[in-house]
Amino acid sequence: CLEAREPPPRATRVSDNRKRDIMSEKLLAELPTAILTGRSAVIALAEGRSVMLSGASDGADTLFGALALGCGHLVAHLLGPHNVPSAAARAGQQEALCHLDDGILHSELVDEVVDAIRRARYPNYASLAAFDRDWRKSRRNVLQVLCADAVYAVAYRAPSAGDSQTATCDVGGGTGYACQCYINRFQPLGPEAAASCRLYLYDDGAPEWAGCLKDARTHRRWSAWDPASQAWAPLDGPPPRPEGVYAGIGSTRLHPDFGDAAIRALMAPV
């Protein structure tokens, strides 16, 4: 999905002596460079297995990771210097923790992508430097979705906030940052065909919380992003089962009967 670029420095990671079939040392070390090079490089590296990309945060990230492992998928949680994995991910998915260095997170390509997110989603930030002061922890989110075939997000929709967030993609927090990055790849915003956009949202906003949008059309159900209308289109049921290279991301807090249950149903063994 991306043209080849000069490879940045490889990622480094800390390993213990446990040997689980999650990702090899070599694969984890090469994965970030492969992502920046393009989807075909990630597919070749995975040798035919599905790859789930996430961030090891509490909630959706960690749950997606555990269930993807249960499906036999390779899992990579991408972490920058300022990101802290959940206790559950440290305990049960340690070999999937991929630590990214600044050479990757501040490469020319990532800078370009982050600045496009700023312009589309947070135009009131006058510069990339100003944007990074508040959102530097989310830079790793770019690599989660940069060449993913599909993105599955379980999160809340944010109310319109003219001082910061004006984009139609109204998913809140860092999950929204990642979703905007993915949307920017597809026409009319980017070069890829709109028909290839596979962004799915389960709206898990708490009805009693003032910080989320209350939209009966999308609440507590799956929707797909429609690039033509730049809007969410509610689905009649769950989206297609994750396979290939995909991102599983979302809120750090999930409702056990809705957001949590939606992820478990989506990833349930066939």
Side-chain angles (χ1 to χ4, degrees), residues 10-15 22-33 45 53 75-78 93-100 104:
R10 289 185 177 182
T12 57
R13 68 184 293 270
V14 177
S15 175
I22 297 180
M23 276 202 173
S24 69
E25 289 282 341
K26 180 175 183 293
L27 193 155
L28 263 187
E30 295 182 356
L31 181 66
T33 297
L45 195 61
L53 303 172
V75 172
H77 291 297
L78 305 174
Q93 302 174 45
Q94 187 177 33
E95 290 84 355
L97 303 182
C98 181
H99 296 277
L100 309 173
I104 290 170

Side-chain angles (χ1 to χ4, degrees), residues 132-203:
D132 265 345
R133 280 196 290 271
D134 289 340
W135 288 94
R136 64 178 180 175
K137 290 184 179 180
S138 293
R139 273 191 171 245
R140 56 77 180 266
N141 297 6
V142 166
L143 276 79
Q144 296 169 5
V145 302
L146 201 57
C147 61
D149 297 310
V151 175
Y152 300 83
V154 179
Y156 64 93
R157 295 179 62 192
S160 176
D163 60 341
S164 60
Q165 181 172 304
T166 59
T168 308
C169 175
D170 52 9
V171 179
T175 305
Y177 183 112
C179 289
Q180 188 67 56
C181 177
Y182 183 78
I183 289 169
N184 285 352
R185 289 171 40 189
F186 302 96
Q187 297 173 353
L189 302 181
E192 298 182 52
S196 298
C197 180
R198 294 165 53 198
L199 171 59
Y200 305 106
L201 170 70
Y202 186 90
D203 180 357

Side-chain angles (χ1 to χ4, degrees), residues 71 159 173 259:
C71 294

Side-chain angles (χ1 to χ4, degrees), residues 41-102:
V42 176
I43 292 293
L45 195 61
E47 298 181 340
R49 295 176 66 183
S50 290
V51 179
M52 199 284 296
L53 303 172
S54 195
S57 295
D58 284 309
D61 290 10
T62 298
L63 181 58
F64 266 118
L67 297 174
L69 289 172
C71 294
H73 298 176
L74 298 175
V75 172
H77 291 297
L78 305 174
L79 301 163
H82 306 289
N83 303 121
V84 179
S86 70
R90 290 196 303 272
Q93 302 174 45
Q94 187 177 33
E95 290 84 355
L97 303 182
C98 181
H99 296 277
L100 309 173
D101 63 28
D102 282 335

Side-chain angles (χ1 to χ4, degrees), residues 233-257:
L235 300 175
D236 292 332
R241 182 176 172 80
E243 62 180 2
V245 181
Y246 68 96
I249 58 178
S251 300
T252 57
R253 295 182 182 180
L254 302 172
H255 192 291
D257 297 328

